[in-house]
Structure formats: C-alpha cells, structure tokens
mmCIF file of all heavy atoms in Angstrom:
data_model
loop_
_atom_site.group_PDB
_atom_site.id
_atom_site.type_symbol
_atom_site.label_atom_id
_atom_site.label_comp_id
_atom_site.label_asym_id
_atom_site.label_seq_id
_atom_site.Cartn_x
_atom_site.Cartn_y
_atom_site.Cartn_z
ATOM 1 N N GLY A 1 1.253 14.833 -55.135
ATOM 2 C CA GLY A 1 2.172 15.919 -54.815
ATOM 3 C C GLY A 1 1.732 16.701 -53.594
ATOM 4 O O GLY A 1 2.559 17.091 -52.755
ATOM 5 N N LEU A 2 0.429 16.946 -53.470
ATOM 6 C CA LEU A 2 -0.082 17.658 -52.300
ATOM 7 C C LEU A 2 0.150 16.862 -51.024
ATOM 8 O O LEU A 2 0.487 17.428 -49.981
ATOM 9 C CB LEU A 2 -1.579 17.920 -52.468
ATOM 10 C CG LEU A 2 -1.977 19.057 -53.405
ATOM 11 C CD1 LEU A 2 -3.478 19.045 -53.616
ATOM 12 C CD2 LEU A 2 -1.537 20.405 -52.840
ATOM 13 N N ALA A 3 -0.043 15.550 -51.095
ATOM 14 C CA ALA A 3 0.158 14.710 -49.912
ATOM 15 C C ALA A 3 1.588 14.847 -49.402
ATOM 16 O O ALA A 3 1.824 14.968 -48.191
ATOM 17 C CB ALA A 3 -0.164 13.255 -50.239
ATOM 18 N N ARG A 4 2.545 14.851 -50.317
ATOM 19 C CA ARG A 4 3.947 14.992 -49.899
ATOM 20 C C ARG A 4 4.243 16.394 -49.372
ATOM 21 O O ARG A 4 4.842 16.571 -48.309
ATOM 22 C CB ARG A 4 4.864 14.653 -51.068
ATOM 23 C CG ARG A 4 4.851 13.186 -51.456
ATOM 24 C CD ARG A 4 5.968 12.876 -52.439
ATOM 25 N NE ARG A 4 5.736 13.510 -53.727
ATOM 26 C CZ ARG A 4 5.086 12.946 -54.739
ATOM 27 N NH1 ARG A 4 4.578 11.733 -54.589
ATOM 28 N NH2 ARG A 4 4.952 13.573 -55.890
ATOM 29 N N ALA A 5 3.801 17.418 -50.120
ATOM 30 C CA ALA A 5 4.129 18.796 -49.759
ATOM 31 C C ALA A 5 3.453 19.224 -48.463
ATOM 32 O O ALA A 5 4.084 19.829 -47.587
ATOM 33 C CB ALA A 5 3.734 19.736 -50.900
ATOM 34 N N LEU A 6 2.173 18.910 -48.315
ATOM 35 C CA LEU A 6 1.455 19.307 -47.109
ATOM 36 C C LEU A 6 1.930 18.513 -45.907
ATOM 37 O O LEU A 6 2.010 19.032 -44.796
ATOM 38 C CB LEU A 6 -0.050 19.130 -47.308
ATOM 39 C CG LEU A 6 -0.695 20.080 -48.321
ATOM 40 C CD1 LEU A 6 -2.164 19.724 -48.516
ATOM 41 C CD2 LEU A 6 -0.560 21.527 -47.890
ATOM 42 N N GLY A 7 2.251 17.234 -46.128
ATOM 43 C CA GLY A 7 2.793 16.438 -45.030
ATOM 44 C C GLY A 7 4.097 17.019 -44.511
ATOM 45 O O GLY A 7 4.344 17.076 -43.299
ATOM 46 N N ALA A 8 4.947 17.490 -45.418
ATOM 47 C CA ALA A 8 6.214 18.101 -45.018
ATOM 48 C C ALA A 8 5.998 19.421 -44.287
ATOM 49 O O ALA A 8 6.851 19.866 -43.510
ATOM 50 C CB ALA A 8 7.089 18.324 -46.246
ATOM 51 N N SER A 9 4.831 20.069 -44.511
ATOM 52 C CA SER A 9 4.514 21.345 -43.863
ATOM 53 C C SER A 9 3.781 21.169 -42.539
ATOM 54 O O SER A 9 3.459 22.154 -41.885
ATOM 55 C CB SER A 9 3.651 22.202 -44.807
ATOM 56 O OG SER A 9 4.340 22.469 -46.009
ATOM 57 N N GLY A 10 3.477 19.923 -42.184
ATOM 58 C CA GLY A 10 2.842 19.668 -40.900
ATOM 59 C C GLY A 10 1.369 19.336 -40.964
ATOM 60 O O GLY A 10 0.728 19.191 -39.918
ATOM 61 N N LEU A 11 0.808 19.232 -42.162
ATOM 62 C CA LEU A 11 -0.607 18.888 -42.276
ATOM 63 C C LEU A 11 -0.727 17.464 -42.784
ATOM 64 O O LEU A 11 -0.277 17.144 -43.884
ATOM 65 C CB LEU A 11 -1.315 19.827 -43.253
ATOM 66 C CG LEU A 11 -2.830 19.625 -43.355
ATOM 67 C CD1 LEU A 11 -3.511 20.211 -42.122
ATOM 68 C CD2 LEU A 11 -3.388 20.272 -44.611
ATOM 69 N N ARG A 12 -1.303 16.605 -41.994
ATOM 70 C CA ARG A 12 -1.449 15.212 -42.396
ATOM 71 C C ARG A 12 -2.527 15.075 -43.462
ATOM 72 O O ARG A 12 -3.614 15.630 -43.341
ATOM 73 C CB ARG A 12 -1.802 14.337 -41.189
ATOM 74 C CG ARG A 12 -0.735 14.288 -40.108
ATOM 75 C CD ARG A 12 -1.117 13.284 -39.039
ATOM 76 N NE ARG A 12 -1.065 11.928 -39.568
ATOM 77 C CZ ARG A 12 -1.803 10.921 -39.093
ATOM 78 N NH1 ARG A 12 -2.655 11.139 -38.121
ATOM 79 N NH2 ARG A 12 -1.682 9.712 -39.610
ATOM 80 N N VAL A 13 -2.203 14.336 -44.499
ATOM 81 C CA VAL A 13 -3.126 14.107 -45.599
ATOM 82 C C VAL A 13 -3.475 12.625 -45.644
ATOM 83 O O VAL A 13 -2.593 11.766 -45.658
ATOM 84 C CB VAL A 13 -2.518 14.540 -46.947
ATOM 85 C CG1 VAL A 13 -3.491 14.260 -48.093
ATOM 86 C CG2 VAL A 13 -2.146 16.021 -46.908
ATOM 87 N N GLY A 14 -4.766 12.334 -45.642
ATOM 88 C CA GLY A 14 -5.224 10.951 -45.714
ATOM 89 C C GLY A 14 -6.203 10.778 -46.855
ATOM 90 O O GLY A 14 -6.440 11.682 -47.644
ATOM 91 N N GLY A 15 -6.762 9.584 -46.931
ATOM 92 C CA GLY A 15 -7.730 9.305 -47.978
ATOM 93 C C GLY A 15 -7.188 8.354 -49.020
ATOM 94 O O GLY A 15 -6.208 7.638 -48.789
ATOM 95 N N ILE A 16 -7.823 8.345 -50.176
ATOM 96 C CA ILE A 16 -7.517 7.379 -51.229
ATOM 97 C C ILE A 16 -7.176 8.092 -52.533
ATOM 98 O O ILE A 16 -7.894 8.992 -52.972
ATOM 99 C CB ILE A 16 -8.719 6.447 -51.468
ATOM 100 C CG1 ILE A 16 -9.008 5.602 -50.217
ATOM 101 C CG2 ILE A 16 -8.473 5.539 -52.675
ATOM 102 C CD1 ILE A 16 -7.905 4.621 -49.857
ATOM 103 N N ALA A 17 -6.057 7.699 -53.135
ATOM 104 C CA ALA A 17 -5.712 8.107 -54.494
ATOM 105 C C ALA A 17 -5.793 6.878 -55.386
ATOM 106 O O ALA A 17 -5.702 5.745 -54.908
ATOM 107 C CB ALA A 17 -4.318 8.715 -54.543
ATOM 108 N N SER A 18 -5.968 7.112 -56.680
ATOM 109 C CA SER A 18 -6.135 6.001 -57.620
ATOM 110 C C SER A 18 -5.151 6.110 -58.784
ATOM 111 O O SER A 18 -5.540 6.395 -59.922
ATOM 112 C CB SER A 18 -7.575 5.972 -58.154
ATOM 113 O OG SER A 18 -8.503 5.826 -57.110
ATOM 114 N N PRO A 19 -3.859 5.898 -58.508
ATOM 115 C CA PRO A 19 -2.884 5.939 -59.607
ATOM 116 C C PRO A 19 -3.136 4.810 -60.598
ATOM 117 O O PRO A 19 -3.573 3.721 -60.225
ATOM 118 C CB PRO A 19 -1.543 5.761 -58.895
ATOM 119 C CG PRO A 19 -1.879 5.070 -57.614
ATOM 120 C CD PRO A 19 -3.236 5.568 -57.221
ATOM 121 N N LEU A 20 -2.885 5.088 -61.865
ATOM 122 C CA LEU A 20 -3.136 4.068 -62.880
ATOM 123 C C LEU A 20 -1.898 3.803 -63.719
ATOM 124 O O LEU A 20 -0.951 4.590 -63.740
ATOM 125 C CB LEU A 20 -4.330 4.445 -63.757
ATOM 126 C CG LEU A 20 -4.312 5.786 -64.518
ATOM 127 C CD1 LEU A 20 -3.511 5.687 -65.800
ATOM 128 C CD2 LEU A 20 -5.731 6.203 -64.838
ATOM 129 N N GLU A 21 -1.926 2.669 -64.380
ATOM 130 C CA GLU A 21 -0.873 2.292 -65.314
ATOM 131 C C GLU A 21 -1.440 2.406 -66.722
ATOM 132 O O GLU A 21 -2.545 1.944 -66.992
ATOM 133 C CB GLU A 21 -0.424 0.851 -65.053
ATOM 134 C CG GLU A 21 0.135 0.620 -63.668
ATOM 135 C CD GLU A 21 0.443 -0.844 -63.406
ATOM 136 O OE1 GLU A 21 0.471 -1.615 -64.393
ATOM 137 O OE2 GLU A 21 0.636 -1.206 -62.236
ATOM 138 N N ARG A 22 -0.665 3.031 -67.610
ATOM 139 C CA ARG A 22 -1.111 3.185 -68.982
ATOM 140 C C ARG A 22 -0.240 2.359 -69.927
ATOM 141 O O ARG A 22 0.945 2.141 -69.666
ATOM 142 C CB ARG A 22 -1.048 4.664 -69.406
ATOM 143 C CG ARG A 22 -2.001 5.564 -68.648
ATOM 144 C CD ARG A 22 -1.986 6.982 -69.220
ATOM 145 N NE ARG A 22 -2.806 7.880 -68.442
ATOM 146 C CZ ARG A 22 -4.111 8.040 -68.608
ATOM 147 N NH1 ARG A 22 -4.730 7.350 -69.541
ATOM 148 N NH2 ARG A 22 -4.793 8.887 -67.866
ATOM 149 N N GLY A 23 -0.848 1.937 -71.004
ATOM 150 C CA GLY A 23 -0.105 1.238 -72.030
ATOM 151 C C GLY A 23 0.648 2.215 -72.914
ATOM 152 O O GLY A 23 0.588 3.431 -72.733
ATOM 153 N N ARG A 24 1.341 1.701 -73.903
ATOM 154 C CA ARG A 24 2.102 2.563 -74.805
ATOM 155 C C ARG A 24 1.218 3.503 -75.591
ATOM 156 O O ARG A 24 1.655 4.573 -76.024
ATOM 157 C CB ARG A 24 2.917 1.696 -75.769
ATOM 158 C CG ARG A 24 4.024 0.905 -75.081
ATOM 159 C CD ARG A 24 4.823 0.112 -76.089
ATOM 160 N NE ARG A 24 5.896 -0.637 -75.443
ATOM 161 C CZ ARG A 24 6.747 -1.419 -76.102
ATOM 162 N NH1 ARG A 24 6.636 -1.564 -77.416
ATOM 163 N NH2 ARG A 24 7.686 -2.058 -75.438
ATOM 164 N N ASP A 25 -0.042 3.122 -75.767
ATOM 165 C CA ASP A 25 -0.973 3.973 -76.500
ATOM 166 C C ASP A 25 -1.660 4.996 -75.602
ATOM 167 O O ASP A 25 -2.501 5.768 -76.047
ATOM 168 C CB ASP A 25 -2.034 3.128 -77.201
ATOM 169 C CG ASP A 25 -2.830 2.271 -76.231
ATOM 170 O OD1 ASP A 25 -2.582 2.350 -75.004
ATOM 171 O OD2 ASP A 25 -3.711 1.516 -76.684
ATOM 172 N N GLY A 26 -1.288 5.022 -74.308
ATOM 173 C CA GLY A 26 -1.861 5.977 -73.372
ATOM 174 C C GLY A 26 -3.133 5.533 -72.706
ATOM 175 O O GLY A 26 -3.642 6.212 -71.814
ATOM 176 N N ARG A 27 -3.666 4.382 -73.106
ATOM 177 C CA ARG A 27 -4.914 3.916 -72.508
ATOM 178 C C ARG A 27 -4.653 3.225 -71.178
ATOM 179 O O ARG A 27 -3.637 2.548 -71.010
ATOM 180 C CB ARG A 27 -5.619 2.962 -73.469
ATOM 181 C CG ARG A 27 -6.158 3.646 -74.708
ATOM 182 C CD ARG A 27 -6.617 2.645 -75.729
ATOM 183 N NE ARG A 27 -7.271 3.287 -76.870
ATOM 184 C CZ ARG A 27 -7.462 2.702 -78.036
ATOM 185 N NH1 ARG A 27 -7.044 1.462 -78.227
ATOM 186 N NH2 ARG A 27 -8.056 3.352 -79.008
ATOM 187 N N PRO A 28 -5.586 3.365 -70.212
ATOM 188 C CA PRO A 28 -5.396 2.733 -68.905
ATOM 189 C C PRO A 28 -5.386 1.211 -69.002
ATOM 190 O O PRO A 28 -6.217 0.618 -69.683
ATOM 191 C CB PRO A 28 -6.613 3.212 -68.111
ATOM 192 C CG PRO A 28 -7.094 4.427 -68.825
ATOM 193 C CD PRO A 28 -6.801 4.190 -70.267
ATOM 194 N N LEU A 29 -4.424 0.590 -68.317
ATOM 195 C CA LEU A 29 -4.349 -0.862 -68.235
ATOM 196 C C LEU A 29 -4.791 -1.369 -66.870
ATOM 197 O O LEU A 29 -5.374 -2.446 -66.763
ATOM 198 C CB LEU A 29 -2.915 -1.333 -68.503
ATOM 199 C CG LEU A 29 -2.343 -1.072 -69.895
ATOM 200 C CD1 LEU A 29 -0.899 -1.550 -69.948
ATOM 201 C CD2 LEU A 29 -3.185 -1.757 -70.960
ATOM 202 N N ALA A 30 -4.497 -0.594 -65.821
ATOM 203 C CA ALA A 30 -4.830 -1.014 -64.463
ATOM 204 C C ALA A 30 -4.929 0.210 -63.570
ATOM 205 O O ALA A 30 -4.330 1.256 -63.851
ATOM 206 C CB ALA A 30 -3.782 -1.976 -63.923
ATOM 207 N N ILE A 31 -5.686 0.074 -62.492
ATOM 208 C CA ILE A 31 -5.856 1.136 -61.510
ATOM 209 C C ILE A 31 -5.599 0.559 -60.126
ATOM 210 O O ILE A 31 -6.069 -0.534 -59.812
ATOM 211 C CB ILE A 31 -7.276 1.722 -61.558
ATOM 212 C CG1 ILE A 31 -7.631 2.209 -62.960
ATOM 213 C CG2 ILE A 31 -7.414 2.876 -60.557
ATOM 214 C CD1 ILE A 31 -9.086 2.630 -63.107
ATOM 215 N N ASP A 32 -4.859 1.284 -59.304
ATOM 216 C CA ASP A 32 -4.636 0.891 -57.918
ATOM 217 C C ASP A 32 -5.405 1.808 -56.982
ATOM 218 O O ASP A 32 -5.776 2.927 -57.347
ATOM 219 C CB ASP A 32 -3.148 0.968 -57.566
ATOM 220 C CG ASP A 32 -2.340 -0.162 -58.164
ATOM 221 O OD1 ASP A 32 -2.948 -1.126 -58.664
ATOM 222 O OD2 ASP A 32 -1.097 -0.077 -58.148
ATOM 223 N N ALA A 33 -5.636 1.341 -55.769
ATOM 224 C CA ALA A 33 -6.143 2.184 -54.689
ATOM 225 C C ALA A 33 -4.994 2.369 -53.712
ATOM 226 O O ALA A 33 -4.413 1.390 -53.234
ATOM 227 C CB ALA A 33 -7.335 1.535 -53.998
ATOM 228 N N LEU A 34 -4.643 3.610 -53.433
ATOM 229 C CA LEU A 34 -3.506 3.946 -52.578
ATOM 230 C C LEU A 34 -3.985 4.671 -51.333
ATOM 231 O O LEU A 34 -4.647 5.712 -51.427
ATOM 232 C CB LEU A 34 -2.522 4.829 -53.342
ATOM 233 C CG LEU A 34 -1.380 5.457 -52.546
ATOM 234 C CD1 LEU A 34 -0.438 4.381 -52.013
ATOM 235 C CD2 LEU A 34 -0.622 6.456 -53.412
#
C-alpha cells in the first residue's frame, strides 16, 4: 500500500516485498519475491 500511495505522491519506492499465498487453513503455501 505504501508503494502505491507514495509513488502517486511523487516518491519512488523500490526494494523487495514478499507476498505469500495461504491455504484455506491460513498457513503459508508459497512465498514470492516482488
């Protein structure tokens, strides 16, 4: 959310985020590097 909001305000945001996918039980199934 910060990457989108700050980018729209003129501040470039870089780096790595690690969004994950969870199963129906809430446990992590996979992690991506973004």
Side-chain angles (χ1 to χ4, degrees):
L2 283 172
R4 291 191 292 269
L6 292 175
S9 300
L11 185 75
R12 297 186 68 207
V13 179
I16 296 295
S18 301
L20 57 81
E21 300 175 14
R22 295 186 185 275
R24 293 182 179 180
D25 59 2
R27 291 170 174 162
L29 295 177
I31 305 172
D32 286 348
L34 171 65

